[in-house]
């Protein structure tokens, strides 16, 4: 009976929306950053040591993004998710241009906010699946990893088809746009539910 109740909780539309956003946001990031080393070497034109320093900078940006995402999740959850994705789209797209020079590329990498979505989306899943929070949290981590695999596969497929490394960020931005649509639909469903719920 408990397992059935938990499964029903996980099947709610808002939980599905949140997990879909986790998959898509992760895919948008890793469709580009799985191939960050060849991008930095072939497009930016930096050596192995420079790539290591850039990856360190990227890691610092992700850590800051995680911290920021947690604070925003406590403030206003869904508006924060929508806002973060709305920033990620042009940020990823701009990397197609900034990746051609060291300093602009470094500034763009540091500013990547994709990991700022981890805490808000995890919080969203747990709150919407209140009857199965532990299972929901575990499944959502799996959703992020699934998105990682999808993004890496999509990026590799695009490169095999002849897409230049420099244009991969456009694909990542396009995938992130799908996440924005999902976030807007989820928020619209929230607002609809609020209007239909008696005070």
């Amino acid at each position: 009976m408990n397992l059935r109740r938990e499964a029903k909780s996980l099947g709610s539309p808002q939980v599905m929306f949140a997990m879909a956003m986790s998959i898509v946001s992760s895919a948008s990031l890793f469709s580009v950053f799985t191939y960050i080393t060849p991008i930095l070497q072939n497009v930016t034109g930096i050596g192995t040591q420079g790539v290591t320093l850039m990856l360190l900078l990227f890691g610092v940006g992700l850590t800051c993004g995680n911290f920021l995402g947690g604070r925003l999740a406590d403030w206003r959850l869904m508006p924060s998710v929508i806002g973060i994705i709305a920033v990620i789209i042009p940020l990823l797209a701009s990397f197609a241009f900034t990746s051609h020079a060291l300093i602009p590329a470094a500034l763009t990498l540091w500013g990547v906010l994709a990991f700022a979505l981890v805490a808000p989306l995890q919080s969203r899943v747990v709150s919407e699946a209140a009857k199965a929070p532990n299972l929901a949290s575990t499944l959502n981590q799996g959703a992020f990893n699934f998105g990682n695999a999808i993004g890496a596969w999509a990026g590799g497929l695009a490169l095999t088809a002849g897409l230049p490394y420099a244009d991969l960020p456009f694909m990542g931005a396009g995938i992130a746009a799908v996440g924005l649509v999902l976030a807007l639909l989820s928020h619209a469903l929230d607002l609809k539910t609020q209007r239909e719920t008696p005070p």
Side-chain angles (χ1 to χ4, degrees):
M1 182 66 70
N2 289 339
L3 184 60
R4 184 182 301 174
R5 186 167 56 248
E6 289 190 6
K8 186 177 179 180
S9 177
L10 291 174
S12 74
Q14 291 293 30
V15 173
M16 294 294 100
F17 268 126
M19 289 192 180
M21 284 185 280
S22 297
I23 293 171
V24 171
S25 64
S26 182
S28 71
L29 175 67
F30 285 99
S31 66
V32 178
F33 289 100
T34 299
Y35 305 96
I36 191 62
T37 296
I39 289 173
L40 292 173
Q41 291 176 332
N42 298 316
V43 180
T44 313
I46 61 179
T48 304
Q49 188 174 9
V51 169
T52 301
L53 292 174
M54 290 285 275
L55 292 178
L56 176 62
L57 187 64
F58 177 56
V60 172
L62 294 185
T63 301
C64 293
N66 243 327
F67 176 77
L68 175 64
R71 298 296 295 269
L72 290 174
D74 290 336
W75 176 54
R76 295 183 66 190
L77 185 54
M78 282 310 296
S80 296
V81 169
I82 292 169
I84 292 169
I85 299 176
V87 172
I88 286 173
I89 295 170
L91 193 64
L92 274 175
S94 71
F95 189 54
F97 305 100
T98 62
S99 62
H100 292 273
L102 177 60
I103 300 302
L107 292 174
T108 307
L109 282 177
W110 190 90
V112 168
L113 293 174
F115 269 52
L117 284 170
V118 174
L121 290 177
Q122 190 78 344
S123 178
R124 176 70 168 178
V125 167
V126 171
S127 64
E128 293 297 329
K131 295 179 181 178
N134 294 329
L135 183 57
S137 178
T138 301
L139 289 176
N140 197 49
Q141 288 303 313
F144 278 113
N145 291 331
F146 185 49
N148 184 337
I150 290 175
W153 172 78
L157 199 65
L159 291 171
T160 302
L163 187 72
Y165 281 117
D167 289 344
L168 271 181
F170 288 129
M171 187 177 73
I175 297 172
V178 176
L180 181 59
V181 172
L182 292 172
L184 290 170
L185 289 172
S186 179
H187 190 48
L189 185 57
D190 273 346
L191 296 176
K192 180 182 177 183
T193 302
Q194 290 172 11
R195 288 194 301 268
E196 293 175 350
T197 302

